[in-house]
């Protein structure tokens, strides 16, 4: 009888990690694009904010799909629960902060 | 020559005899350590067995040693404050020094005592409780520890080199900003805490994966021991709360080092945003240090009442409810900053809601005790004392949660008494409880019961002498962070009593330290691996646990798995002796230590804004990361004859 090995990580299949390399290049490109929009262009403040928040959301998706194994794993319920809790915390933080700080705006 | 003199007088903290005393003792202790290691030829042993280890049990022990040392430092800070406040108009510390002392006391106690204590105990107990041979990412675990360690060292350096931070442990803007707080003190806070925070985040990820992926066959989620459950939930809170703090610290570092304006009114920043981000981490942090001790108490109370835990499932759902609510209460730390009424009302309610699941847990512990066969060992005493003492902290918390009333309590000693009631009666009692409980599993001998009980009673009574009067002192109008007060307000006698209590706690801790040393020499050896008649899997292996934890991975069919195995044995069911198989284990590595040392060098450079030192430090970190990427041979197998020898030596193979 084969004994239970009890290790979490199987050795990765060999091969060039194209996904990660593309993810890295895209992340860098988006970061510099955001920097250029904020510093290089002189757009009105709310336009700048909208654009860089949009870029941030794309950046977050790239992280999820390219680096954070969101489509992998045997148990999708883990992924779904994790995503739901993440969205909850992000919402609490952003909406809560806006609500709290509203009187100073 | 003159230049060097001015540089040195700024570089080293000068002018205070106590600091010179600290300089001398640091130098003496360092020389003594180097001498002992050289004399007994232990350098190689230290490097091979400890500094490069990736074994979760050894990392746990190192966390606990570091936490005990930091507890000593934070405790001395507390005694200095209490000496200054013992009588009206004392001249023991000046105001500036007092500010630094309460800042380092708070930061050290939360980040460099409570966190490593919890991390240490979970490193030791969780893999053993779930029947695993190590954590999911042993190398990352070593990185976490060394980042914490070097972050703590960087922070502690501040009081002899450059000057300590003095803006409180919460480091509020604008006072912590560059304009009002020049010098390097706040930089030490920002960078030291940031470095150890990276380690904490990695630990959270590591234990989430370990518990999700590495449980013994048959151990479904709802068959896990409650301590493991509490760590699972804590890990999730760590992962989601720490990034807020990381970002806040980074933004303030950018403010201070590069002249940005995130937290200054000038140029459109907002000082209140710091409080907002800080407490978005800071409140969940309270549960990061509390939920694990709830887990410890659940284990200890069930073990020493010799009963299964009452309301296991409800306990878990209470913790899950707390973890969700903990992200919705952060504003109650700054009710008085001028928020609108609906905001204060919402956060008032969400805060009071937390009392419900916490109350449920208190009752479950009481019902576990009900009709149990209670054994009053030292760990059990800590657990029993926790219930009433912590409840006082919880109830005063509900009082503080009422926003209108909070305008009265805010920043008074009432608040100080409240959070010490939760953090000492909760976290400190809990980690002391866990320390006594798992000590035999860590070292193979028991701590002495008599000394343990002396330290318990002295510490617990002194704690009440210290913090019960403090509630009334707060209601009488004394505010926190006052460095002195005039005679004639009626505060003098109460302050004196509080100081007596503080020194009593110091005495209790000293007895505990003496107990550790005494028991190391004379303590009762644990030859069975199960000194307490435990219920969970960590007691099924020998004490101290072998490198590979379990010669055979246990198979689990019920909760309290080890209790069930013992029950079967009592019924006479013989277990088949399976042949050993080679065990796959990770290799030790020096990279975590070296990389964290580079973090220290880089951090020190950035604290002083010496980029010639900071940037090479960062390059060193990158080189370590690259070096790790090219390590292909990262594991080995323990051969079966070595397992057989180890098991035979522990009396478990015949």
């Amino acid at each position: 009888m084969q004994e239970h090995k009890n290790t979490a990580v199987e050795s990765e299949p060999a091969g060039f990690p194209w996904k990660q390399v593309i993810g890295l290049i895209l992340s860098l490109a988006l970061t510099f694009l955001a920097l250029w929009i904020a510093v290089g262009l002189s757009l009105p403040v709310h336009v700048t904010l909208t654009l860089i928040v949009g870029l941030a959301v794309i950046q977050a998706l790239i992280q999820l799909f390219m680096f954070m194994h969101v489509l992998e794993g045997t148990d999708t319920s883990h992924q779904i629960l994790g995503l739901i809790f993440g969205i909850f915390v992000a919402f609490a933080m952003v909406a809560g902060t806006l609500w709290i700080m509203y009187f100073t705006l | 020559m003159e230049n060097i003199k001015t540089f040195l007088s700024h570089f080293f903290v000068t002018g205070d005899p106590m600091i010179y005393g600290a300089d001398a003792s640091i130098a003496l202790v360092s020389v003594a350590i180097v001498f002992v290691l050289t004399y007994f030829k232990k350098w190689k042993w230290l490097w091979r067995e400890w500094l490069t280890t990736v074994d979760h049990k050894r990392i746990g022990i190192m966390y606990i040693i570091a936490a005990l040392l930091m507890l000593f430092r934070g405790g001395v800070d507390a005694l200095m404050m209490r000496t200054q406040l013992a009588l009206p108009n004392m001249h023991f510390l000046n105001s500036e020094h007092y500010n630094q002392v309460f800042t380092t006391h708070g930061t050290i106690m939360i980040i460099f005592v409570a966190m490593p204590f919890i991390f240490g105990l979970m490193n030791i107990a969780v893999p053993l409780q779930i029947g695993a041979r190590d954590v999911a990412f042993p190398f990352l675990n070593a990185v976490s520890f060394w980042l914490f360690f070097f972050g703590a060292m960087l922070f502690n350096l501040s009081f002899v080199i450059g000057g300590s931070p003095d803006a409180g442990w919460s480091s509020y803007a604008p006072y912590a900003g560059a304009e009002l707080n020049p010098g390097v003190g706040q930089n030490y806070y920002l960078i030291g805490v940031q470095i150890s925070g990276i380690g904490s985040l990695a630990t959270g990820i590591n234990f989430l994966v370990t518990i999700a992926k590495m449980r013994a066959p048959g151990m479904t989620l709802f068959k896990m021991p409650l301590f493991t459950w509490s760590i699972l939930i804590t890990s999730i809170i760590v992962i989601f709360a720490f990034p807020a703090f990381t970002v806040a610290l980074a933004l303030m570092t950018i403010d201070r080092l590069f002249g940005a304006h995130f937290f200054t009114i000038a140029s459109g920043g907002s000082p209140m945003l710091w409080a907002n981000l800080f407490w978005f981490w800071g409140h969940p942090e309270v549960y990061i240090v509390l939920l694990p001790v709830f887990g410890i108490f659940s284990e200890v109370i069930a073990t020493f009442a010799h009963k299964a835990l009452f309301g296991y499932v409800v306990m878990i759902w209470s913790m899950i409810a707390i973890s969700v609510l903990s992200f919705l209460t952060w504003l109650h730390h700054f009710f008085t900053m001028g928020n609108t009424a609906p905001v204060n009302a919402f956060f008032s309610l969400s805060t009071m809601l937390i009392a419900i699941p916490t109350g449920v847990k208190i009752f479950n512990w009481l019902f576990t005790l009900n009709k149990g066969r209670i054994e009053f060992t030292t760990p059990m005493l800590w657990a029993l004392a926790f219930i009433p003492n912590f409840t006082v902290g919880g109830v005063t918390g509900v009082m503080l949660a009422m926003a209108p009333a909070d305008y009265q309590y805010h920043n008074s000693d009432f608040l100080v008494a409240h959070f010490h009631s939760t953090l000492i009666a909760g976290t400190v009692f809990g980690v002391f409880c866990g320390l006594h409980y798992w000590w035999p599993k860590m070292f193979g001998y028991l701590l002495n019961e008599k000394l343990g009980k002396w330290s318990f009673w002295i510490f617990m009574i002194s704690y009440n002498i210290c913090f019960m009067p403090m509630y009334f002192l707060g209601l009488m109008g004394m505010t926190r962070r006052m460095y002195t007060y005039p005679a004639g307000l009626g505060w003098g006698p109460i302050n004196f009593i509080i100081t007596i209590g503080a020194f009593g706690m110091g005495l209790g801790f000293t007895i505990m330290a003496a107990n550790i040393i005494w028991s190391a020499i004379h303590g009762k050896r644990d030859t069975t691996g199960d000194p307490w008649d435990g219920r969970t899997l960590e007691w099924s292996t020998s004490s101290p646990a072998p490198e590979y934890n379990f010669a055979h991975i246990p198979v689990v069919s019920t909760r309290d798995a080890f209790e069930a195995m013992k029950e079967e044995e009592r019924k006479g069911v013989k277990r088949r002796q399976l042949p050993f198989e080679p065990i796959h284990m990770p290799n030790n590595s020096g990279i975590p230590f070296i990389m964290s040392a580079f973090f220290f060098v880089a951090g020190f450079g950035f604290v002083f804004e010496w980029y010639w030192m900071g940037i090479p430090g960062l390059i060193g970190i990158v080189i370590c990361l690259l070096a790790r990427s090219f390590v292909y041979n990262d594991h080995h197998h323990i051969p079966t004859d070595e397992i057989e020898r180890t098991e035979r030596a522990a009396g478990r193979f015949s």
Side-chain angles (χ1 to χ4, degrees), chain B residues 77-367:
Chain B
D77 281 347
L79 294 183
M80 282 161 72
M81 282 189 282
R82 283 320 311 173
T83 307
Q84 166 63 21
L85 292 176
L87 298 168
N89 299 316
M90 277 283 277
H91 292 291
F92 178 65
L93 302 174
N94 61 36
S95 60
E96 195 192 344
H97 196 176
Y98 186 85
N99 291 350
Q100 296 178 350
V101 170
F102 74 64
T103 301
T104 52
H105 168 76
T107 313
I108 285 174
M109 285 300 197
I110 293 283
I111 293 171
F112 303 131
V113 176
M115 301 277 294
F117 242 129
I118 302 275
F119 286 173
L121 291 173
M122 70 201 229
N123 257 294
I124 283 156
V126 167
L128 291 171
Q129 283 198 327
I130 62 174
R133 284 184 170 139
D134 207 319
V135 294
F137 310 115
F139 177 87
L140 184 68
N141 202 18
V143 172
S144 291
F145 170 74
W146 289 110
L147 284 177
F148 146 74
F149 182 82
F150 280 105
M153 288 302 109
L154 184 63
F155 184 87
N156 275 277
L157 208 56
S158 66
F159 84 113
V160 288
I161 294 179
S164 292
D166 61 358
W169 88 280
S170 49
S171 190
Y172 270 12
Y175 180 62
E179 199 181 322
L180 298 175
N181 207 327
V184 296
Q186 278 316 116
N187 296 350
Y188 269 116
Y189 171 93
L190 293 167
I191 295 169
V193 173
Q194 184 76 290
I195 290 173
S196 73
I198 302 168
S200 305
L201 183 60
T203 302
I205 295 168
N206 210 340
F207 277 80
L208 176 65
V209 178
T210 303
I211 298 171
K213 290 281 180 192
M214 293 181 67
R215 299 189 307 273
M219 187 182 275
T220 55
L221 280 178
F222 281 87
K223 283 177 189 155
M224 296 197 308
L226 217 85
F227 179 66
T228 300
W229 252 110
S230 72
I231 296 303
L232 175 65
I233 294 167
T234 305
S235 303
I236 293 170
I237 304 181
V238 167
I239 293 168
F240 286 102
F242 259 84
F245 195 34
T246 306
V247 168
L249 288 170
L251 293 181
M252 195 183 261
T253 310
I254 294 170
D255 268 13
R256 285 184 63 90
L257 298 189
F258 309 114
H261 292 281
F262 290 107
F263 302 121
T264 50
I265 293 270
S267 315
S270 163
M272 189 175 169
L273 188 61
W274 167 266
N276 184 65
L277 291 175
F278 180 86
W279 290 113
F280 191 83
W281 160 78
H283 197 79
E285 166 70 10
V286 173
Y287 294 97
I288 291 169
V289 298
L290 270 176
L291 289 181
V293 304
F294 288 173
I296 295 171
F297 291 131
S298 303
E299 299 290 339
V300 167
I301 288 175
T303 301
F304 294 110
H306 298 283
K307 265 179 73 186
L309 190 76
F310 185 90
Y312 172 91
V313 177
V314 181
M315 284 290 216
I316 290 163
W317 283 106
S318 307
M319 287 197 289
I320 292 171
I322 291 173
S323 74
V324 173
L325 285 171
S326 74
F327 283 99
L328 296 174
T329 63
W330 76 99
L331 177 116
H332 69 219
H333 295 271
F334 50 104
F335 274 144
T336 57
M337 249 180 217
N339 317 294
T340 53
V343 173
N344 275 4
F346 174 86
F347 283 95
S348 218
L349 266 176
S350 62
T351 305
M352 284 187 242
L353 272 179
I354 288 201
I356 297 172
T358 316
V360 167
K361 295 184 75 67
I362 298 273
F363 280 106
N364 277 325
W365 286 313
L366 293 177
F367 285 129

Side-chain angles (χ1 to χ4, degrees), chain B residues 255-539:
Chain B
D255 268 13
R256 285 184 63 90
L257 298 189
F258 309 114
H261 292 281
F262 290 107
F263 302 121
T264 50
I265 293 270
S267 315
S270 163
M272 189 175 169
L273 188 61
W274 167 266
N276 184 65
L277 291 175
F278 180 86
W279 290 113
F280 191 83
W281 160 78
H283 197 79
E285 166 70 10
V286 173
Y287 294 97
I288 291 169
V289 298
L290 270 176
L291 289 181
V293 304
F294 288 173
I296 295 171
F297 291 131
S298 303
E299 299 290 339
V300 167
I301 288 175
T303 301
F304 294 110
H306 298 283
K307 265 179 73 186
L309 190 76
F310 185 90
Y312 172 91
V313 177
V314 181
M315 284 290 216
I316 290 163
W317 283 106
S318 307
M319 287 197 289
I320 292 171
I322 291 173
S323 74
V324 173
L325 285 171
S326 74
F327 283 99
L328 296 174
T329 63
W330 76 99
L331 177 116
H332 69 219
H333 295 271
F334 50 104
F335 274 144
T336 57
M337 249 180 217
N339 317 294
T340 53
V343 173
N344 275 4
F346 174 86
F347 283 95
S348 218
L349 266 176
S350 62
T351 305
M352 284 187 242
L353 272 179
I354 288 201
I356 297 172
T358 316
V360 167
K361 295 184 75 67
I362 298 273
F363 280 106
N364 277 325
W365 286 313
L366 293 177
F367 285 129
T368 307
L369 293 169
N370 184 30
K371 294 190 178 157
R373 188 159 47 81
I374 297 172
E375 202 183 337
F376 291 96
T377 57
T378 312
M380 186 60 163
L381 287 176
W382 287 109
L384 292 176
F386 150 80
I387 296 174
N389 286 306
F390 179 79
T391 305
V392 171
V395 170
T396 52
V398 177
M399 292 169 73
L400 284 156
M402 293 180 280
D406 185 67
Y407 274 79
Q408 294 301 314
Y409 307 132
H410 190 79
N411 264 356
S412 74
D413 272 359
F414 186 88
L415 167 80
V416 178
H418 155 71
F419 68 71
H420 282 90
S421 285
T422 55
L423 288 171
I424 294 182
T427 305
V428 175
F429 283 19
V431 296
F432 286 173
C433 170
L435 200 63
H436 285 85
Y437 183 61
W438 282 307
W439 194 270
K441 197 45 71 185
M442 289 152 65
F443 296 103
Y445 64 88
L446 284 88
L447 289 174
N448 181 272
E449 278 291 303
K450 199 170 172 189
L451 284 171
K453 282 174 184 166
W454 270 104
S455 68
F456 162 76
W457 283 109
I458 291 176
F459 192 95
M460 198 273 288
I461 292 171
S462 306
Y463 152 80
N464 276 290
I465 295 174
C466 187
F467 291 105
M468 281 303 149
M470 201 183 276
Y471 284 111
F472 297 95
L473 192 62
L475 295 179
M476 287 164 76
M478 182 152 167
T479 57
R480 72 194 293 202
R481 295 173 176 173
M482 276 175 101
Y483 91 103
T484 190
Y485 54 93
L489 290 168
W491 298 350
I494 299 184
N495 268 305
F496 195 75
I497 293 171
I498 293 173
T499 302
I500 293 172
F503 277 89
M505 287 161 77
L507 177 65
F509 177 69
T510 312
I511 295 175
M512 189 181 295
N515 189 5
I516 289 172
I517 295 166
W518 191 89
S519 303
I521 305 162
H522 306 289
K524 195 177 133 206
R525 306 293 125 167
D526 171 27
T527 49
T528 60
D530 181 24
W532 309 116
D533 190 13
R535 310 176 70 80
T536 41
L537 284 177
E538 75 267 36
W539 305 110

Side-chain angles (χ1 to χ4, degrees), chain B residues 33-49:
Chain B
I33 291 172
V34 171
F35 175 77
V36 168
L37 286 172
T38 314
Y39 187 80
F40 291 102
K41 301 199 172 71
K42 288 287 186 189
W43 284 105
K44 226 178 211 167
W45 165 83
L46 182 73
W47 176 257
R48 275 216 200 121
E49 300 287 317

